[in-house]
Amino acid sequence: VRLDSPAAQDFLRANAGRLDVVLVKPGSYAHVVADPDDQEFLRSAGLSLEIVVPDLERRQAYADKGDGFGIFHTYSENVAFVDSLRLLYPHVVSAKWSLGQTVEGRDIWCFRVSDNPDVDESEPEVLIDGMHHAREIRASEFPIMFAEHLAKGYGSDPEITWLVDNRELYIVPVVNPDGFWYNNWGDMCRKNRRNNGDGTYGVDNNRNYP
């Protein structure tokens, strides 16, 4: 969407709750994930559109995806990876624990990286979480990859060793496991799977925090 006028920018801002706006460059353009109805809505308001990716679902379907996410981890694979970190690096990675369950009964897992991972010490704490938007597959990769990076580097990399010795890092790889699980079959959902009671499902976590 071209943002070449104040009116275009005001319209986009006023309808941010309805539209799936993923990127804004003020005074230039915005990237919007838009189905045909959204496209007509934008055009009827006099906005100029350029279709950058005609079929986003097809683009997201990696050639090696199969029933999962190919080179990326599904929800179940993500959980298994966290367990493997505990087995391989028990001196810096705690066992996972559940922060609670989703509406569909899936656990929201958390684990701690520290020099005494099974003890809650009086050290400064850091929270790292991922996968708020269910379709952003790579967002669940960073937390587990970063934890692995810290575990592998502990004791040999001075900067990593200092960080792990002097901080407690709490890692929640998947904030939205229901949406993540739902997308395992190729959907482009970004929301969770709450039943809204009107025939629709899902709340956009990242648009609804206090």
Side-chain angles (χ1 to χ4, degrees), residues 111-128 163-171:
F111 65 98
R112 179 169 47 226
V113 177
S114 185
D115 59 335
N116 292 300
D118 299 319
V119 179
D120 184 3
E121 300 178 293
S122 59
E123 296 176 335
E125 299 172 346
V126 179
L127 172 65
I128 298 171
L163 180 65
V164 174
D165 282 345
N166 292 279
R167 297 290 184 271
E168 290 185 334
L169 295 98
Y170 289 83
I171 300 180

Side-chain angles (χ1 to χ4, degrees), residues 68-88:
F69 294 135
I71 62 173
F72 304 109
H73 296 81
T74 64
Y75 171 69
S76 299
E77 291 167 348
N78 189 289
V79 174
F81 190 91
V82 171
D83 289 337
S84 74
L85 290 179
R86 170 62 172 179
L87 289 173
L88 291 169

Side-chain angles (χ1 to χ4, degrees), residues 86-107:
R86 170 62 172 179
L87 289 173
L88 291 169
Y89 309 102
H91 57 295
V92 291
V93 177
S94 76
K96 69 182 186 302
W97 70 88
S98 177
L99 300 178
Q101 290 194 323
T102 66
V103 295
E104 293 186 341
R106 294 184 180 88
D107 288 295

Side-chain angles (χ1 to χ4, degrees), residues 191 193-203:
K191 301 178 180 181
R193 294 295 295 165
R194 189 188 77 169
N195 187 339
N196 297 320
D198 60 359
T200 65
Y201 288 82
V203 170

Side-chain angles (χ1 to χ4, degrees), residues 35-94:
D35 61 22
D37 288 342
D38 291 330
Q39 293 174 36
E40 180 57 32
F41 177 64
L42 291 165
R43 288 193 181 97
S44 67
L47 275 67
S48 177
L49 310 185
E50 177 186 352
I51 307 300
V52 179
V53 180
D55 189 338
L56 193 58
E57 288 192 23
R58 181 179 293 275
R59 178 173 177 175
Q60 292 292 87
Y62 304 99
D64 61 348
K65 182 175 176 183
D67 291 330
F69 294 135
I71 62 173
F72 304 109
H73 296 81
T74 64
Y75 171 69
S76 299
E77 291 167 348
N78 189 289
V79 174
F81 190 91
V82 171
D83 289 337
S84 74
L85 290 179
R86 170 62 172 179
L87 289 173
L88 291 169
Y89 309 102
H91 57 295
V92 291
V93 177
S94 76

Side-chain angles (χ1 to χ4, degrees), residues 88-189:
L88 291 169
Y89 309 102
H91 57 295
V92 291
V93 177
S94 76
K96 69 182 186 302
W97 70 88
S98 177
L99 300 178
Q101 290 194 323
T102 66
V103 295
E104 293 186 341
R106 294 184 180 88
D107 288 295
I108 302 173
W109 295 112
C110 179
F111 65 98
R112 179 169 47 226
V113 177
S114 185
D115 59 335
N116 292 300
D118 299 319
V119 179
D120 184 3
E121 300 178 293
S122 59
E123 296 176 335
E125 299 172 346
V126 179
L127 172 65
I128 298 171
D129 57 22
M131 185 51 70
H132 298 249
H133 282 162
R135 70 172 177 233
E136 296 172 5
I137 300 169
R138 299 163 192 80
S140 62
E141 296 295 313
F142 172 75
I144 58 175
M145 295 291 103
F146 185 56
E148 182 184 45
H149 177 68
L150 295 176
K152 283 184 173 180
Y154 183 72
S156 59
D157 183 302
E159 195 168 31
I160 288 176
T161 301
W162 184 93
L163 180 65
V164 174
D165 282 345
N166 292 279
R167 297 290 184 271
E168 290 185 334
L169 295 98
Y170 289 83
I171 300 180
V172 184
V174 181
V175 171
N176 182 7
D178 289 350
F180 194 19
W181 181 272
Y182 183 70
N183 279 354
N184 194 61
W185 287 271
D187 194 83
M188 287 296 294
C189 166

